[in-house]
Amino acid sequence: MSPDAGFPGLPGAVAVSHLSVYDWESPDGVRGGTPHLHLTCSEAYVVTEGRGAVQTLSAGSCETTPLEPGALVWFTPGTIHRLVNEDGLRIVVLMQNNGLPEAGDAVLTLPPEYLTDPGTYARAVRIPAAGDATEAERAAVARRRRDLAIEGFTALRTAWQAGDPEPLLGFQRAAAELVRPKAADWRARWEAGAAEAARQTGAQLDRLAAGDVSYLAEAGVRARQPAARGGFGMCGLLDTYDILRADAS
């Protein structure tokens, strides 16, 4: 296949997953997912079933956006978001940079004492692998880390609403420091994904302008079923896809 035949991933190097939002009740009486932010990725929700909301917090706003079938909501890096499940909320999630939000570019809003270094944070958020614990044990760990993140999120939101943005800004600084060692790997992922997809479009435009459409002879179709189902994600149970698997056809 020629280098300009077409990017093998989804359009724009996004990734997609199906999310069934947790219906576990949290200490504040709200059912839903784990609040967190992304440092370098935007994310979008397409609601397919049920009803709920997404609570968001950023330096400029504190909002609650209703979610119902057909709703499309997206947010940029630095937006803390928490999904609320009011009635069977199911969502298709679109993620920038080949799914980097679910592959490292996320920091949960844990209290400050858990954000001091990558090791401390990793121990607080790790969910055992399927072979190392029962489903009930893994669910209990996911629920505990969710509740811990809600504790931190509540403190950040309360301070912001009282006119004190410093706890939020401090959390953003701590989150950036936690993920900074991963920046080189993330850059390589971006260069092979979104940057490469854009480069190929530019090359195709150049060839089209020159009257060369030979790259169209290599057009093709790819299809996938979920590679994993029901994994414990930050916001709920996830069905995920292996988009760039080598045997694409």
Side-chain angles (χ1 to χ4, degrees):
M1 179 175 287
S2 74
D4 302 331
F7 182 69
L10 289 176
V14 301
V16 61
S17 63
H18 292 276
L19 174 64
S20 298
V21 180
Y22 293 133
D23 64 358
W24 305 325
E25 186 172 335
S26 57
D28 63 357
V30 175
R31 299 178 183 273
T34 308
H36 60 280
L37 60 65
H38 307 296
L39 281 296
T40 65
C41 295
S42 293
E43 190 173 71
Y45 297 151
V46 182
V47 182
T48 57
E49 294 181 38
R51 184 170 53 85
V54 57
Q55 298 176 347
T56 55
L57 176 64
S58 65
S61 69
C62 179
E63 302 180 49
T64 298
T65 303
L67 298 176
E68 59 184 18
L72 172 62
V73 178
W74 66 98
F75 36 85
T76 54
T79 305
I80 296 173
H81 45 290
R82 175 198 186 187
L83 279 169
V84 174
N85 186 355
E86 297 173 357
D87 181 18
L89 185 60
R90 291 180 60 87
I91 293 172
V92 172
V93 183
L94 305 176
M95 296 166 285
Q96 196 175 8
N97 296 321
N98 293 336
L100 185 56
E102 288 287 351
D105 182 16
V107 176
L108 278 56
T109 55
L110 304 185
E113 60 266 29
Y114 295 95
L115 307 174
T116 54
D117 62 86
T120 299
Y121 176 79
R123 286 189 293 273
V125 302
R126 179 182 175 273
I127 295 177
D132 297 333
T134 67
E135 286 296 288
E137 290 169 338
R138 298 176 71 226
V141 173
R143 187 166 183 169
R144 283 197 299 271
R145 78 170 186 179
R146 190 278 311 267
D147 291 349
L148 196 61
I150 288 173
E151 177 185 338
F153 174 66
T154 300
L156 297 177
R157 186 171 59 173
T158 299
W160 190 94
Q161 291 172 332
D164 180 11
E166 183 52 37
L168 173 60
L169 299 177
F171 169 73
Q172 291 177 341
R173 290 190 294 267
E177 196 61 25
L178 285 175
V179 304
R180 188 159 62 94
K182 304 176 183 179
D185 289 341
W186 292 2
R187 176 171 290 277
R189 187 186 186 104
W190 166 74
E191 288 173 344
E196 174 62 14
R199 187 205 65 76
Q200 289 194 29
T201 298
Q204 291 164 2
L205 289 170
D206 290 342
R207 293 172 69 171
L208 184 61
D212 174 10
V213 295
S214 59
Y215 63 90
L216 296 180
E218 299 183 68
V221 176
R222 294 173 172 83
R224 290 286 184 267
Q225 291 293 321
R229 296 179 184 269
F232 289 100
M234 289 175 286
C235 296
L237 299 177
L238 285 171
D239 296 345
T240 57
Y241 296 83
D242 186 2
I243 299 298
L244 294 177
R245 196 172 64 220
D247 63 346
S249 59

